[in-house]
Amino acid sequence: MLHLKTTDNNCSQKVSDLIKNSSHAGDSETFSAAHYFSLSRIANVPLKELSGEKSNLLVFPYEIDKSYGAIGELPIFEMCGCCENLSEVKIKTGNLLGFVGVGSGDGAIQLEISSRFSKSENDFFLHYILGKVFGENLFSLNYNASSGSVFDLLCFMFPLVLKNAVRQGIFKTYRTFERNDANVKGSLNISRHIRQNIPFGGKVAYKERAQVFDNPFTELVRHTIEFIKTKPFGKSILNSDSGTKSAVSQIVELTQNYSFHERQKIISENAKPVSHPFFTKWKPLQKLCLAILNHSKINYHSNEKSVCGLLFDGAWLWEEYLNTIFRPLGFEHPENKKHKGGLKMFANGDDELTFDKDFRRIYPDFYKKGEYVLDAKYKRLLNGVGREDLYQVVAYMHTMKIGRGGFIFPDDDTDFHKKTYCLANDAGTLDIIGVKIPQNAESLQEFCSLMKSEEKRISGNFSAL
């Protein structure tokens, strides 16, 4: 199997160069026509087409909430070049990062997309921010990113997806029970009644159809919980916070028919994706549970013909990571793509009707009322801020009557900390703030320690607000 490794937003790279740069590449590995056709199956194809019901491809946050529709329109990568000249074939990545595998046999190929802000072989940056965003404290885990896999990352995501599903209520389905008692609540089963209740002793054989919590779907979640418990860091994940512990306890309490020996049967019964107009958050949970229990099928080392893997939107992940820093400081974090938390631009509601409904609200990435508005950028800002980004933050400041604004970005190779610029006519100040991403850490634990220090420094800039 051919292994390719690149970064997000790579500005187009030759596949032949990616093979040379990959630590997995052997002397005999070459980019063949079979590999080309495997890649062409997923190149330039929107995620919403690749992550269908029967796909083993998980995409976050698309799997958490389909309202992130723009992500569904993104391709994993773009490819140019033809099969006749394989040495000139190039792929261009966007904001998506993670792992994907496609093809089988001689055409099997695996693509790893790491963060461009991490120069470590094991991409400590991705592992760290995943741990922060999905609620797991990596400092408490005996976890080494160098031996980590897609399976490990799936386990880290389980608490958040589980809590999102449980907030909608526990999934219920109809099941048919064969009863034989005096409390008749369904249709009579005459043949069984004659076999079991002659002579008559006060019991009646009947079939009852009722809604129950203990069903193949909740059993699947229970099997996933028990499976995670067997891992070195499993118990820490399932006890990461009170919400996760409560959700796990509810599932365990309601699945009294759980049996370890029925795991494969439960997996088979969940082959069909759940479809319910109310329990919308349970579908991504089902998909995640199946991925964890069948981790060999979603691991990017898979030889299956279907597309498999695990992908994240880098910009979303960066914003959610920053939210773990700014939320304790009192900052609000509106959700633009879900149209939640927006602020009115017009004092008179009727005036809004003149303008496009998509632009009647503003959605700053982070703001503190009357104090500060901050825009998160998952890109380098050392060479200056773009025109649209500049005008956007200034518009936020004007609308919200805030005198201080700024941009925050990941800084991967300099000691840039903060620069402040004054707007004309004493209209306010703009800050450009870099979050130093340590590049010389030799282990995930060391990386976590350095990032923790950097987070304290960043928090110190805003703690006095």
Side-chain angles (χ1 to χ4, degrees), residues 45-51 57 59 71-74 76 96 311:
V45 180
L47 284 174
K48 65 181 181 181
E49 296 182 22
L50 293 176
S51 59
L57 179 67
V59 185
I71 297 173
E73 301 295 334
L74 295 176
I76 301 175
L96 293 172
L311 295 168

Side-chain angles (χ1 to χ4, degrees), residues 114-267:
S114 59
S115 171
R116 66 190 187 280
F117 295 105
S118 177
K119 295 180 174 59
S120 65
E121 180 65 29
N122 300 305
D123 199 354
F124 296 141
F125 180 55
L126 174 59
H127 285 77
Y128 180 78
I129 60 177
L130 279 174
K132 295 281 287 187
V133 169
F134 287 94
E136 179 55 42
N137 184 359
L138 289 174
F139 296 105
S140 66
L141 300 182
N142 182 20
Y143 173 71
N144 187 349
S146 63
S147 61
S149 66
V150 176
F151 166 68
D152 298 331
L153 302 182
L154 291 172
C155 292
F156 292 151
M157 284 169 241
F158 180 74
L160 177 62
V161 181
L162 174 63
K163 287 184 289 185
N164 284 342
V166 170
R167 287 191 191 104
Q168 283 191 324
I170 303 298
F171 189 83
K172 295 184 291 186
T173 58
Y174 279 99
R175 294 186 67 182
T176 300
F177 298 91
E178 298 287 346
R179 309 289 193 190
N180 188 39
D181 53 43
N183 302 315
V184 181
K185 295 180 180 179
S187 59
L188 299 179
N189 189 324
I190 303 301
S191 61
R192 187 162 59 85
H193 178 73
I194 293 174
R195 290 197 309 270
Q196 296 180 356
N197 299 317
I198 300 297
F200 183 67
K203 296 181 179 180
V204 177
Y206 62 96
K207 291 192 294 185
E208 178 187 10
R209 184 170 172 79
Q211 277 191 327
V212 293
F213 294 112
D214 195 351
N215 52 67
F217 192 18
T218 51
E219 286 285 341
L220 177 71
V221 180
R222 174 67 183 278
H223 278 277
T224 306
I225 291 171
E226 300 300 328
F227 185 68
I228 292 176
K229 284 181 181 178
T230 64
K231 301 304 169 183
F233 48 81
K235 291 183 180 179
S236 297
I237 289 176
L238 299 176
N239 292 283
S240 57
D241 57 71
S242 58
T244 301
K245 289 191 286 187
S246 175
V248 169
S249 296
Q250 288 185 63
I251 295 296
V252 171
E253 182 179 349
L254 294 171
T255 50
Q256 298 298 316
N257 293 324
Y258 166 78
S259 173
F260 168 80
H261 302 288
E262 293 186 350
R263 179 165 297 172
Q264 196 55 50
K265 174 186 174 184
I266 294 297
I267 292 174

